[in-house]
Amino acid sequence: MEIFFPELLDEFISAHFVKKVQDKFHFSEEQTVKIQTVAKEMLPTIAEEAFYVRQAYSPENKPPDKAYECVAMSLGNGVDLLQESYVEKGLLLESYIVEVLASELLLHGYEAYNKNIAAHTTQHVARYHFPGSENELPLEMLPGLLQILTPKITCNAAFCMQPKKSVVFISELTQNEAIHCQAICIGCSNKSCPNRMEENNLIRKRMTDLPLPYGYTRIFGVVS
């Protein structure tokens, strides 16, 4: 197990990162300070608890020119507790900010993982595979993968992970220079995802255009 990518944590409370989140999720200029404040409250617990872990993985019918790793990344329980404390206090906007900051940080984690593999091995990432996204990788395999990887992440009968700000995937590695991972979303059928990428172009969709929990709809004044 390794600590979460330090270079990302150094950037997390920077003006550049905050501005990127603000623009991506269409926050107003007046909410900049609030985003910065939430990020600063998140950072200590992320710095203490966030981690990633990787383990060699051997699927059936593995091609001879490829290797696979099973990987988990998590921001830890502290982020969940902070978000819950905001909800208990009725601070729904702050709770939403935790959600988007955490998801953006994890999204950057994929790129950092790519760079780490390329820098410290003779291979690079060709593709990501996620439990539940392919017939060969049913969601039911998630508990087994977590058992292999780490006791620090668990999932319930509905396959919801704890800590909530966690991801598990299988990375396909290769030495073939003609094959490089372009984005984590290549081949994904979820057209409404705000993080969706296609051919290096990030498709942005306003969060207010997506189905939102009741509390968040009140923040944005969306009436169902």
Side-chain angles (χ1 to χ4, degrees), residues 57-62 68 127-142 145 170 172:
Y57 181 75
S58 296
E60 295 183 7
N61 304 317
K62 182 176 77 69
Y68 293 83
R127 186 179 176 186
Y128 287 97
H129 302 268
F130 294 88
S133 65
E134 306 170 33
N135 291 335
E136 296 78 12
L137 299 173
L139 193 56
E140 288 76 9
M141 71 186 298
L142 180 59
L145 294 178
I170 295 170
E172 181 181 314

Side-chain angles (χ1 to χ4, degrees), residues 7-216:
E7 66 275 17
L8 296 185
L9 299 187
D10 290 342
E11 181 190 6
F12 185 64
I13 59 174
S14 69
H16 172 75
F17 187 87
V18 170
K19 176 64 174 173
K20 185 174 181 178
V21 169
Q22 182 176 332
D23 291 345
K24 178 177 178 178
F25 294 96
H26 296 265
F27 288 100
S28 68
E29 290 295 330
E30 291 74 20
Q31 293 168 325
T32 301
V33 173
K34 188 158 291 188
I35 298 171
Q36 292 172 331
T37 299
V38 172
K40 288 177 181 178
E41 291 194 23
M42 291 172 65
L43 184 59
T45 185
I46 292 175
E48 181 178 351
E49 299 181 6
F51 68 93
Y52 77 100
V53 58
R54 39 192 285 251
Q55 188 74 252
Y57 181 75
S58 296
E60 295 183 7
N61 304 317
K62 182 176 77 69
D65 62 331
K66 293 177 182 176
Y68 293 83
E69 284 191 349
C70 184
V71 183
M73 294 191 294
S74 178
L75 300 185
N77 286 305
V79 176
D80 292 344
L81 294 174
L82 177 63
Q83 189 173 35
E84 290 169 8
S85 73
Y86 284 143
V87 173
E88 290 171 358
K89 297 172 184 175
L91 302 175
L92 297 183
L93 178 57
E94 284 82 351
S95 173
Y96 176 67
I97 291 172
V98 170
E99 192 71 28
V100 297
L101 284 172
S103 61
E104 193 69 14
L105 183 59
L106 284 172
L107 186 65
H108 283 231
Y110 293 104
E111 182 181 0
Y113 168 77
N114 274 25
K115 292 179 179 177
N116 185 273
I117 291 296
H120 297 99
T121 77
T122 60
Q123 298 170 309
H124 54 268
V125 178
R127 186 179 176 186
Y128 287 97
H129 302 268
F130 294 88
S133 65
E134 306 170 33
N135 291 335
E136 296 78 12
L137 299 173
L139 193 56
E140 288 76 9
M141 71 186 298
L142 180 59
L145 294 178
L146 290 174
Q147 192 172 28
I148 293 171
L149 287 166
T150 176
K152 290 193 171 186
I153 305 175
T154 59
C155 71
N156 60 20
F159 308 111
C160 295
M161 287 186 285
Q162 183 69 33
K164 296 176 183 177
K165 309 303 185 286
S166 304
V167 294
V168 174
F169 58 89
I170 295 170
S171 63
E172 181 181 314
L173 307 179
T174 183
Q175 292 181 322
N176 188 340
E177 290 299 325
I179 304 175
H180 277 267
C181 175
Q182 297 182 49
I184 65 169
C185 305
I186 297 299
C188 175
S189 61
N190 184 3
K191 302 295 184 180
S192 64
C193 176
N195 290 329
R196 183 173 175 79
M197 303 177 190
E198 289 182 353
E199 301 299 328
N200 296 325
N201 291 319
L202 194 57
I203 297 177
R204 306 302 189 190
K205 186 174 179 69
R206 290 193 60 173
M207 291 301 293
T208 47
D209 295 333
L210 302 176
L212 293 172
Y214 175 78
Y216 294 150

